Structure formats: structure tokens, C-alpha cells
Amino acid sequence: MSYAVEMTSITKEFPGVVANDNVTFQVRGGEIHALVGENGAGKTTLMNVLYGLYRPDSGQIKVRGQEVTIHDPHQAIELGVGMVHQHFMLVPSLTVMENVVLGKTPTRFALIDARQANEAIMEISEQYSLAVNPQAKVYELSVGEMQRVEILKALYRGADILILDEPTAVLTPQETTELFRILRGLAEQERAIIFITHKLKEVLAISDRVTVMRNGEVTGLVETRDTDEQELARLMVGRDVVFRVEKSPVKVGEEILRVANLHTVDDRGLPALKSVSFCVRLGQIVGVAGVEGNGQTELVEVLNGLRRATDGSVHYRGTDVTQASPRKRRELGISHIPEDRLRLGVNLDCTIEENLVLNTYYQPPLARSIFLNLNKIEEYSDSLVERFNIITPTSKLPASSLSGGNMQKLVLAREMGGDPDLLIAAQPTRGVDVGAIEYIHQQIIQLRDRGHGVLLVSAELDEIMSLSDRILVMYEGEIVGDFVGGSVSEEELGLYMLGTKRMEPSEIVAS
Ligand SMILES: Nc1ncnc2c1ncn2[C@@H]1O[C@H](COP(=O)(O)OP(=O)(O)OP(=O)(O)O)[C@@H](O)[C@H]1O
Ligand SMILES: [Mg+2]
């Protein structure tokens, strides 16, 4: 049988790491092939090799039966390989049209032929029901829309082998359903789809076959219909994973955070929070559920001093911190796991070690007056690397060398390692593998069991349901539901998330 893509005995080393160790990976035309594996397993590296971003140290690549050497993405594109990257690569200040045609621009008398470009885009967008507005600027788009632009860009370049690296990590459930519909349509046209994800439910829902990687090697190739979540998890992390979270009964203490009648606006100046009130107590995990884009991002930003409240107040242990700087809040004991790790979470040019002590390097025991204690810094950061299982040969490497999920673990290690009094965690397990999710969930519960407060904002309903002692639902900038954890079903929560049901303000306990 001939394959659309056939990668044989691919080996790729980075200093100190064999990212791909003699990997064989084959994809048929017309198939959706899931590529899964723990953080740092080598998935992105393998796909970067296919896309010409990295040259393998050894091994062979065949595209549609022809042996090829892929020197750069340009050549990959010519061979019909398209890639939607784990971290988007669009230019925010350009329009959708300009981004799509970038590098393959139709011209007339040396000017961009905007009409022709627009027509080509509209044709593809209609053919695949990829709804986009070619004139919109990319910075105005939601992540779901950006994703569609990335796919459109690949299709515009003629991709019939399409690689998607964790495309659903940032999508809402509706956007994911939409994406799956598009991918099925592409596969029906005999295109080959390579789909990287950590969400095993999605693997089972969308793929035909699954290749599993661990530690640079392929550990399994299975037909999707013959497998299940347990088996995939075992192949990925090499042991059984407990999907259920064990939690002891809650012992709530005094109030640590009180938010009263909070209002703010989004980047476009439109109301994003409308009179939000609630409290978090010590020894309690308060989960905020909601479809992304309903004010959760702005809420977390206001609570961390990254966005101004236009009205209302935030009190921390009885002190008004509504106007306090981000650093001041940190010093008071609030820590923050931001949802967008690349924008707010890590400095890619700094080393892993520097990133781990970013908030604390100037305080004892890491520093004494103006002197840094480099030994202590190293000791502390090495202990975090070990505890949070950040996969790297040494913490002296730049953070940019980490795999996507390990960057997320780096942020978690920094923010949770210091035993914060109040943890504000936005999408804490986004992009991390099933084994790491299990560990992170245990850490969050232990923090709460030691009597600290946690505000958990997550688009993963499973995560909210299994961790929260109390669940708030946000819809269009308001809290529309307030439940005791464990007392509400997923379906019921879904109705509140979609705005079909809502509670009266008097039913919302903390208002
Ligand atoms: N540019 C680089 N320089 C040095 N090491 C790198 C580089 N890119 C990747 N690595 C290392 O190669 C290994 C594989 O990384 P890769 O990004 O392929 O993992 P992944 O399977 O995509 O993981 P994730 O699920 O976290 O995205 C990791 O140990 C990573 O640290
Ligand atoms: Mg990756």
C-alpha cells in the first residue's frame, strides 16, 4: 500500500536530548491520524522535520511514494505539506487576507492583487465552511477564528497533507465540533490529516489510527476502534493513569478573597464584567466554569492587577487591593497561572532556572540585600524541575528549548512551588499530558487541603467538576449560576454556560 507520508527511522538530536529516536511514522491519504504522547515525547519535533523546519540526523522521508529531502518549509509546502503550529504564527497587525497570502501573493504590476486574493480566500472558505472575514485584522480575532485562518492559509497553499499541532487546546467545545467537521470533509477528499492532541476523548472521536510516542520513540500504533482511553494513557506514560480525582471533604476557613460588584471593559472597550461578586475562602477551591470569552480572561486579569476595574472592588484578607500593582499582589501571597503562557507566563529567552525564580529572586533565601545566592537559586529551581517533572537535560537551557507542555509545567512550578496563600489558576492543564494533569490536580487539592484558597478558571468542564468545592458559571460577563461542588450535573452546568438558564441574583450565595 502506498502512503501519503512515510517517515522511516527518523532520528533527531538536540544537545543532551534524543528528541526522535529511530521513529517510523506512516499516514495514509484520506485518514485522520492522531499523534499522541507525553510532554516532550517528540511529537512537535517529528512534525517540524516533516515540515522542513528541522533536518533529521538520519532517516528517510517519502511523500506519496517519492523519497524526498525537505530543506525548508517552502519545499514542504511545494510537496503539499501544510502545518498549523502549536503556537500560532500569524502576524497580528495584518488582515486575514494578508496573512493567508503572505509568501504566496498574487500580484498585478508588482502590487498585491487584492481582488484575486480575496476571491481565492472566499472560494476556499466557502468550500470548507471555514467562516472568516478576509478584511478583519488578526488581533481582533478569537482563537477559534485564528485557527480557521491558519487552516485556510495551509489550504490556500495547496496542502493535501495537513499537520495540526494541538489545534483544540484553545478551542471552545463548539469550535472543536466545527473543526472536526472541517477535518472530516478534508479527509473525505483523500487528504491526509495528522492531528496532535492530549485530549484522549478527541482521539477516540476523530481519528482512524493512533501513533503513540514516549521519550522520543514510538510505543504503539493502534486502530482507534480497537483502543480506549486507559490503553492510550498507558502507552503514553507507561503506567495506569487515574482519571478520577480523590478528594477529602472540605474544611473551609475564613474569607481570603472578596470581589464586589466588579466591572471592567475588554480590549475593545466593551463591557466584559458586569457586577461580578463572589468570595473565595481558605481551604476551598472555587471553580469558574463558562464558555471561553464570557469574561473569565478579564476577571483573572483584574484580580492580578493586569487590567483596571472600572467599578467595584477586590479585597484580599480584608485589605482593598483593587488598585494594587501585580508585584504588590504577589508579595501579599497571590499567585497567578496565566492562560496564555507564551504572552504572560514565560520569558523564552531566559533560562528555565531564571524563569523559575522570576518572582522571587530578590527575596530571601534566594537573595540577601542586593546579592543573589546563586547556589540557593540553582538548588531551588532544580527541586522544582524534579517535583513538576519538567523534561530538560539542564535548567540552564533557554525556556524556548522546552516542549509546549513542559513550558506550561514551568509556569505551574513557579506559581505553585512557593506555596501561595491564594492561587488563581487559569486553564492550568492546557497542553499538558494525562500524567501531568493527574499530578497538577493532586497539587491543587493538596494546596487546598493545607488550608490555602484556590480560584480555578477552566474551559474543561471535567476539571471544574472534579476539583471544585463550589462552582460559579459565567455568561456574558455575569455570574449566572452558583453551585455546591458535586451537587450539579454536567448537563445542568451546560445549560447555564450557554445562557439557557440563569439564577436570580438572590440565589447566588456570595452576592
Ligand atoms: N529547539 C530545541 N532545542 C533544544 N531542545 C529541544 C528543541 N526543541 C525540542 N527540544 C527537546 O526535544 C524534546 C521533544 O520536544 P517536542 O517539542 O518534540 O515534544 P512534544 O512531544 O511536542 O511535547 P508537548 O506535548 O509538550 O508539546 C524535548 O525534550 C524538548 O525539550
Ligand atoms: Mg509539542
PDB file of all heavy atoms in Angstrom, residues 420-447:
ATOM      1  N   PRO A 420       1.588  29.406  47.590  1.00  0.00           N
ATOM      2  CA  PRO A 420       0.852  30.670  47.699  1.00  0.00           C
ATOM      3  C   PRO A 420      -0.366  30.555  48.606  1.00  0.00           C
ATOM      4  O   PRO A 420      -0.947  29.472  48.729  1.00  0.00           O
ATOM      5  CB  PRO A 420       0.405  30.923  46.263  1.00  0.00           C
ATOM      6  CG  PRO A 420       0.306  29.557  45.655  1.00  0.00           C
ATOM      7  CD  PRO A 420       1.443  28.780  46.259  1.00  0.00           C
ATOM      8  N   ASP A 421      -0.745  31.665  49.248  1.00  0.00           N
ATOM      9  CA  ASP A 421      -1.951  31.664  50.082  1.00  0.00           C
ATOM     10  C   ASP A 421      -3.194  31.566  49.210  1.00  0.00           C
ATOM     11  O   ASP A 421      -4.165  30.927  49.556  1.00  0.00           O
ATOM     12  CB  ASP A 421      -2.021  32.939  50.912  1.00  0.00           C
ATOM     13  CG  ASP A 421      -0.909  32.977  51.927  1.00  0.00           C
ATOM     14  OD1 ASP A 421      -0.384  31.893  52.256  1.00  0.00           O
ATOM     15  OD2 ASP A 421      -0.542  34.080  52.378  1.00  0.00           O
ATOM     16  N   LEU A 422      -3.108  32.280  48.060  1.00  0.00           N
ATOM     17  CA  LEU A 422      -4.228  32.222  47.121  1.00  0.00           C
ATOM     18  C   LEU A 422      -3.666  31.946  45.732  1.00  0.00           C
ATOM     19  O   LEU A 422      -2.811  32.679  45.248  1.00  0.00           O
ATOM     20  CB  LEU A 422      -4.992  33.553  47.095  1.00  0.00           C
ATOM     21  CG  LEU A 422      -6.098  33.643  46.029  1.00  0.00           C
ATOM     22  CD1 LEU A 422      -7.249  32.682  46.328  1.00  0.00           C
ATOM     23  CD2 LEU A 422      -6.644  35.073  45.923  1.00  0.00           C
ATOM     24  N   LEU A 423      -4.144  30.880  45.114  1.00  0.00           N
ATOM     25  CA  LEU A 423      -3.714  30.563  43.752  1.00  0.00           C
ATOM     26  C   LEU A 423      -4.854  30.890  42.794  1.00  0.00           C
ATOM     27  O   LEU A 423      -5.971  30.410  42.970  1.00  0.00           O
ATOM     28  CB  LEU A 423      -3.378  29.067  43.643  1.00  0.00           C
ATOM     29  CG  LEU A 423      -3.077  28.560  42.225  1.00  0.00           C
ATOM     30  CD1 LEU A 423      -1.755  29.123  41.713  1.00  0.00           C
ATOM     31  CD2 LEU A 423      -3.031  27.034  42.190  1.00  0.00           C
ATOM     32  N   ILE A 424      -4.538  31.729  41.809  1.00  0.00           N
ATOM     33  CA  ILE A 424      -5.522  31.995  40.757  1.00  0.00           C
ATOM     34  C   ILE A 424      -5.016  31.269  39.512  1.00  0.00           C
ATOM     35  O   ILE A 424      -3.997  31.641  38.943  1.00  0.00           O
ATOM     36  CB  ILE A 424      -5.680  33.504  40.502  1.00  0.00           C
ATOM     37  CG1 ILE A 424      -6.140  34.187  41.796  1.00  0.00           C
ATOM     38  CG2 ILE A 424      -6.675  33.756  39.366  1.00  0.00           C
ATOM     39  CD1 ILE A 424      -6.265  35.686  41.700  1.00  0.00           C
ATOM     40  N   ALA A 425      -5.697  30.203  39.154  1.00  0.00           N
ATOM     41  CA  ALA A 425      -5.195  29.340  38.084  1.00  0.00           C
ATOM     42  C   ALA A 425      -6.138  29.398  36.887  1.00  0.00           C
ATOM     43  O   ALA A 425      -7.295  29.004  36.988  1.00  0.00           O
ATOM     44  CB  ALA A 425      -5.089  27.897  38.588  1.00  0.00           C
ATOM     45  N   ALA A 426      -5.633  29.915  35.770  1.00  0.00           N
ATOM     46  CA  ALA A 426      -6.448  29.978  34.557  1.00  0.00           C
ATOM     47  C   ALA A 426      -5.977  28.896  33.594  1.00  0.00           C
ATOM     48  O   ALA A 426      -4.814  28.877  33.205  1.00  0.00           O
ATOM     49  CB  ALA A 426      -6.344  31.353  33.914  1.00  0.00           C
ATOM     50  N   GLN A 427      -6.841  28.003  33.235  1.00  0.00           N
ATOM     51  CA  GLN A 427      -6.542  26.908  32.301  1.00  0.00           C
ATOM     52  C   GLN A 427      -5.228  26.204  32.670  1.00  0.00           C
ATOM     53  O   GLN A 427      -4.342  26.082  31.825  1.00  0.00           O
ATOM     54  CB  GLN A 427      -6.434  27.421  30.856  1.00  0.00           C
ATOM     55  CG  GLN A 427      -7.416  28.492  30.467  1.00  0.00           C
ATOM     56  CD  GLN A 427      -8.867  28.019  30.483  1.00  0.00           C
ATOM     57  OE1 GLN A 427      -9.153  26.835  30.642  1.00  0.00           O
ATOM     58  NE2 GLN A 427      -9.788  28.927  30.354  1.00  0.00           N
ATOM     59  N   PRO A 428      -5.095  25.737  33.944  1.00  0.00           N
ATOM     60  CA  PRO A 428      -3.787  25.252  34.384  1.00  0.00           C
ATOM     61  C   PRO A 428      -3.273  24.021  33.648  1.00  0.00           C
ATOM     62  O   PRO A 428      -2.065  23.823  33.565  1.00  0.00           O
ATOM     63  CB  PRO A 428      -4.005  24.928  35.871  1.00  0.00           C
ATOM     64  CG  PRO A 428      -5.465  24.697  35.996  1.00  0.00           C
ATOM     65  CD  PRO A 428      -6.108  25.638  35.011  1.00  0.00           C
ATOM     66  N   THR A 429      -4.163  23.201  33.100  1.00  0.00           N
ATOM     67  CA  THR A 429      -3.676  21.962  32.491  1.00  0.00           C
ATOM     68  C   THR A 429      -3.718  22.001  30.965  1.00  0.00           C
ATOM     69  O   THR A 429      -3.598  20.970  30.317  1.00  0.00           O
ATOM     70  CB  THR A 429      -4.483  20.741  32.985  1.00  0.00           C
ATOM     71  OG1 THR A 429      -5.860  20.987  32.729  1.00  0.00           O
ATOM     72  CG2 THR A 429      -4.276  20.507  34.449  1.00  0.00           C
ATOM     73  N   ARG A 430      -3.858  23.191  30.413  1.00  0.00           N
ATOM     74  CA  ARG A 430      -3.903  23.309  28.961  1.00  0.00           C
ATOM     75  C   ARG A 430      -2.583  22.844  28.340  1.00  0.00           C
ATOM     76  O   ARG A 430      -1.515  23.339  28.686  1.00  0.00           O
ATOM     77  CB  ARG A 430      -4.153  24.773  28.607  1.00  0.00           C
ATOM     78  CG  ARG A 430      -4.165  25.034  27.139  1.00  0.00           C
ATOM     79  CD  ARG A 430      -4.694  26.414  26.858  1.00  0.00           C
ATOM     80  NE  ARG A 430      -6.149  26.406  26.947  1.00  0.00           N
ATOM     81  CZ  ARG A 430      -6.887  27.510  26.909  1.00  0.00           C
ATOM     82  NH1 ARG A 430      -6.316  28.681  26.831  1.00  0.00           N
ATOM     83  NH2 ARG A 430      -8.191  27.425  26.964  1.00  0.00           N
ATOM     84  N   GLY A 431      -2.670  21.862  27.443  1.00  0.00           N
ATOM     85  CA  GLY A 431      -1.469  21.419  26.733  1.00  0.00           C
ATOM     86  C   GLY A 431      -0.584  20.458  27.510  1.00  0.00           C
ATOM     87  O   GLY A 431       0.472  20.093  27.032  1.00  0.00           O
ATOM     88  N   VAL A 432      -0.996  20.033  28.721  1.00  0.00           N
ATOM     89  CA  VAL A 432      -0.141  19.067  29.420  1.00  0.00           C
ATOM     90  C   VAL A 432      -0.719  17.658  29.297  1.00  0.00           C
ATOM     91  O   VAL A 432      -1.913  17.479  29.082  1.00  0.00           O
ATOM     92  CB  VAL A 432       0.118  19.443  30.907  1.00  0.00           C
ATOM     93  CG1 VAL A 432       0.718  20.825  31.017  1.00  0.00           C
ATOM     94  CG2 VAL A 432      -1.132  19.314  31.737  1.00  0.00           C
ATOM     95  N   ASP A 433       0.155  16.668  29.405  1.00  0.00           N
ATOM     96  CA  ASP A 433      -0.281  15.300  29.129  1.00  0.00           C
ATOM     97  C   ASP A 433      -1.069  14.706  30.292  1.00  0.00           C
ATOM     98  O   ASP A 433      -1.103  15.273  31.392  1.00  0.00           O
ATOM     99  CB  ASP A 433       0.923  14.420  28.745  1.00  0.00           C
ATOM    100  CG  ASP A 433       1.914  14.244  29.878  1.00  0.00           C
ATOM    101  OD1 ASP A 433       1.515  13.851  30.985  1.00  0.00           O
ATOM    102  OD2 ASP A 433       3.116  14.494  29.649  1.00  0.00           O
ATOM    103  N   VAL A 434      -1.693  13.562  30.055  1.00  0.00           N
ATOM    104  CA  VAL A 434      -2.602  12.984  31.061  1.00  0.00           C
ATOM    105  C   VAL A 434      -1.914  12.705  32.395  1.00  0.00           C
ATOM    106  O   VAL A 434      -2.524  12.868  33.451  1.00  0.00           O
ATOM    107  CB  VAL A 434      -3.297  11.695  30.569  1.00  0.00           C
ATOM    108  CG1 VAL A 434      -4.410  12.013  29.608  1.00  0.00           C
ATOM    109  CG2 VAL A 434      -2.313  10.727  29.962  1.00  0.00           C
ATOM    110  N   GLY A 435      -0.654  12.289  32.330  1.00  0.00           N
ATOM    111  CA  GLY A 435       0.067  12.013  33.574  1.00  0.00           C
ATOM    112  C   GLY A 435       0.276  13.305  34.355  1.00  0.00           C
ATOM    113  O   GLY A 435       0.091  13.350  35.585  1.00  0.00           O
ATOM    114  N   ALA A 436       0.635  14.374  33.653  1.00  0.00           N
ATOM    115  CA  ALA A 436       0.887  15.653  34.318  1.00  0.00           C
ATOM    116  C   ALA A 436      -0.411  16.251  34.847  1.00  0.00           C
ATOM    117  O   ALA A 436      -0.421  16.872  35.914  1.00  0.00           O
ATOM    118  CB  ALA A 436       1.565  16.621  33.353  1.00  0.00           C
ATOM    119  N   ILE A 437      -1.517  16.036  34.135  1.00  0.00           N
ATOM    120  CA  ILE A 437      -2.807  16.547  34.627  1.00  0.00           C
ATOM    121  C   ILE A 437      -3.114  15.920  35.983  1.00  0.00           C
ATOM    122  O   ILE A 437      -3.490  16.596  36.934  1.00  0.00           O
ATOM    123  CB  ILE A 437      -3.948  16.227  33.630  1.00  0.00           C
ATOM    124  CG1 ILE A 437      -3.777  17.075  32.371  1.00  0.00           C
ATOM    125  CG2 ILE A 437      -5.318  16.463  34.262  1.00  0.00           C
ATOM    126  CD1 ILE A 437      -4.803  16.798  31.288  1.00  0.00           C
ATOM    127  N   GLU A 438      -2.910  14.610  36.064  1.00  0.00           N
ATOM    128  CA  GLU A 438      -3.156  13.899  37.322  1.00  0.00           C
ATOM    129  C   GLU A 438      -2.338  14.550  38.447  1.00  0.00           C
ATOM    130  O   GLU A 438      -2.852  14.859  39.517  1.00  0.00           O
ATOM    131  CB  GLU A 438      -2.742  12.435  37.113  1.00  0.00           C
ATOM    132  CG  GLU A 438      -3.031  11.526  38.254  1.00  0.00           C
ATOM    133  CD  GLU A 438      -2.440  10.122  37.999  1.00  0.00           C
ATOM    134  OE1 GLU A 438      -1.447   9.991  37.253  1.00  0.00           O
ATOM    135  OE2 GLU A 438      -2.977   9.168  38.577  1.00  0.00           O
ATOM    136  N   TYR A 439      -1.061  14.822  38.177  1.00  0.00           N
ATOM    137  CA  TYR A 439      -0.187  15.403  39.187  1.00  0.00           C
ATOM    138  C   TYR A 439      -0.620  16.826  39.558  1.00  0.00           C
ATOM    139  O   TYR A 439      -0.684  17.178  40.745  1.00  0.00           O
ATOM    140  CB  TYR A 439       1.269  15.419  38.668  1.00  0.00           C
ATOM    141  CG  TYR A 439       2.219  16.041  39.647  1.00  0.00           C
ATOM    142  CD1 TYR A 439       2.621  15.327  40.775  1.00  0.00           C
ATOM    143  CD2 TYR A 439       2.691  17.328  39.470  1.00  0.00           C
ATOM    144  CE1 TYR A 439       3.471  15.890  41.696  1.00  0.00           C
ATOM    145  CE2 TYR A 439       3.548  17.907  40.390  1.00  0.00           C
ATOM    146  CZ  TYR A 439       3.938  17.191  41.503  1.00  0.00           C
ATOM    147  OH  TYR A 439       4.776  17.752  42.427  1.00  0.00           O
ATOM    148  N   ILE A 440      -0.944  17.613  38.571  1.00  0.00           N
ATOM    149  CA  ILE A 440      -1.336  19.003  38.831  1.00  0.00           C
ATOM    150  C   ILE A 440      -2.628  19.047  39.653  1.00  0.00           C
ATOM    151  O   ILE A 440      -2.753  19.827  40.593  1.00  0.00           O
ATOM    152  CB  ILE A 440      -1.501  19.765  37.496  1.00  0.00           C
ATOM    153  CG1 ILE A 440      -0.127  19.915  36.827  1.00  0.00           C
ATOM    154  CG2 ILE A 440      -2.141  21.134  37.706  1.00  0.00           C
ATOM    155  CD1 ILE A 440      -0.200  20.289  35.364  1.00  0.00           C
ATOM    156  N   HIS A 441      -3.552  18.175  39.323  1.00  0.00           N
ATOM    157  CA  HIS A 441      -4.794  18.128  40.098  1.00  0.00           C
ATOM    158  C   HIS A 441      -4.517  17.766  41.553  1.00  0.00           C
ATOM    159  O   HIS A 441      -5.070  18.366  42.472  1.00  0.00           O
ATOM    160  CB  HIS A 441      -5.779  17.133  39.465  1.00  0.00           C
ATOM    161  CG  HIS A 441      -6.435  17.685  38.228  1.00  0.00           C
ATOM    162  ND1 HIS A 441      -7.263  16.948  37.432  1.00  0.00           N
ATOM    163  CD2 HIS A 441      -6.366  18.912  37.650  1.00  0.00           C
ATOM    164  CE1 HIS A 441      -7.693  17.705  36.424  1.00  0.00           C
ATOM    165  NE2 HIS A 441      -7.150  18.888  36.528  1.00  0.00           N
ATOM    166  N   GLN A 442      -3.618  16.807  41.749  1.00  0.00           N
ATOM    167  CA  GLN A 442      -3.265  16.448  43.141  1.00  0.00           C
ATOM    168  C   GLN A 442      -2.652  17.650  43.869  1.00  0.00           C
ATOM    169  O   GLN A 442      -2.939  17.912  45.034  1.00  0.00           O
ATOM    170  CB  GLN A 442      -2.259  15.303  43.160  1.00  0.00           C
ATOM    171  CG  GLN A 442      -2.874  13.958  42.864  1.00  0.00           C
ATOM    172  CD  GLN A 442      -1.801  12.915  42.520  1.00  0.00           C
ATOM    173  OE1 GLN A 442      -0.602  13.213  42.497  1.00  0.00           O
ATOM    174  NE2 GLN A 442      -2.239  11.698  42.233  1.00  0.00           N
ATOM    175  N   GLN A 443      -1.782  18.393  43.168  1.00  0.00           N
ATOM    176  CA  GLN A 443      -1.129  19.547  43.784  1.00  0.00           C
ATOM    177  C   GLN A 443      -2.142  20.617  44.175  1.00  0.00           C
ATOM    178  O   GLN A 443      -2.037  21.231  45.234  1.00  0.00           O
ATOM    179  CB  GLN A 443      -0.105  20.166  42.813  1.00  0.00           C
ATOM    180  CG  GLN A 443       1.092  19.295  42.541  1.00  0.00           C
ATOM    181  CD  GLN A 443       1.909  19.041  43.785  1.00  0.00           C
ATOM    182  OE1 GLN A 443       2.337  19.970  44.455  1.00  0.00           O
ATOM    183  NE2 GLN A 443       2.084  17.791  44.126  1.00  0.00           N
ATOM    184  N   ILE A 444      -3.121  20.837  43.303  1.00  0.00           N
ATOM    185  CA  ILE A 444      -4.140  21.854  43.604  1.00  0.00           C
ATOM    186  C   ILE A 444      -4.942  21.423  44.826  1.00  0.00           C
ATOM    187  O   ILE A 444      -5.217  22.216  45.730  1.00  0.00           O
ATOM    188  CB  ILE A 444      -5.052  22.083  42.371  1.00  0.00           C
ATOM    189  CG1 ILE A 444      -4.253  22.779  41.255  1.00  0.00           C
ATOM    190  CG2 ILE A 444      -6.289  22.904  42.745  1.00  0.00           C
ATOM    191  CD1 ILE A 444      -5.022  23.030  39.970  1.00  0.00           C
ATOM    192  N   ILE A 445      -5.290  20.135  44.883  1.00  0.00           N
ATOM    193  CA  ILE A 445      -6.066  19.649  46.025  1.00  0.00           C
ATOM    194  C   ILE A 445      -5.246  19.705  47.318  1.00  0.00           C
ATOM    195  O   ILE A 445      -5.744  20.097  48.374  1.00  0.00           O
ATOM    196  CB  ILE A 445      -6.591  18.223  45.746  1.00  0.00           C
ATOM    197  CG1 ILE A 445      -7.709  18.336  44.710  1.00  0.00           C
ATOM    198  CG2 ILE A 445      -7.092  17.552  47.012  1.00  0.00           C
ATOM    199  CD1 ILE A 445      -8.204  17.029  44.185  1.00  0.00           C
ATOM    200  N   GLN A 446      -3.952  19.374  47.204  1.00  0.00           N
ATOM    201  CA  GLN A 446      -3.113  19.447  48.403  1.00  0.00           C
ATOM    202  C   GLN A 446      -2.993  20.871  48.923  1.00  0.00           C
ATOM    203  O   GLN A 446      -2.973  21.115  50.121  1.00  0.00           O
ATOM    204  CB  GLN A 446      -1.735  18.880  48.118  1.00  0.00           C
ATOM    205  CG  GLN A 446      -1.748  17.356  48.123  1.00  0.00           C
ATOM    206  CD  GLN A 446      -0.421  16.776  47.702  1.00  0.00           C
ATOM    207  OE1 GLN A 446       0.619  17.447  47.751  1.00  0.00           O
ATOM    208  NE2 GLN A 446      -0.434  15.525  47.261  1.00  0.00           N
ATOM    209  N   LEU A 447      -2.915  21.817  48.013  1.00  0.00           N
ATOM    210  CA  LEU A 447      -2.839  23.224  48.407  1.00  0.00           C
ATOM    211  C   LEU A 447      -4.091  23.589  49.206  1.00  0.00           C
ATOM    212  O   LEU A 447      -4.018  24.204  50.267  1.00  0.00           O
ATOM    213  CB  LEU A 447      -2.753  24.074  47.126  1.00  0.00           C
ATOM    214  CG  LEU A 447      -2.199  25.486  47.241  1.00  0.00           C
ATOM    215  CD1 LEU A 447      -0.737  25.463  47.650  1.00  0.00           C
ATOM    216  CD2 LEU A 447      -2.337  26.217  45.886  1.00  0.00           C
TER     217      LEU A 447
END
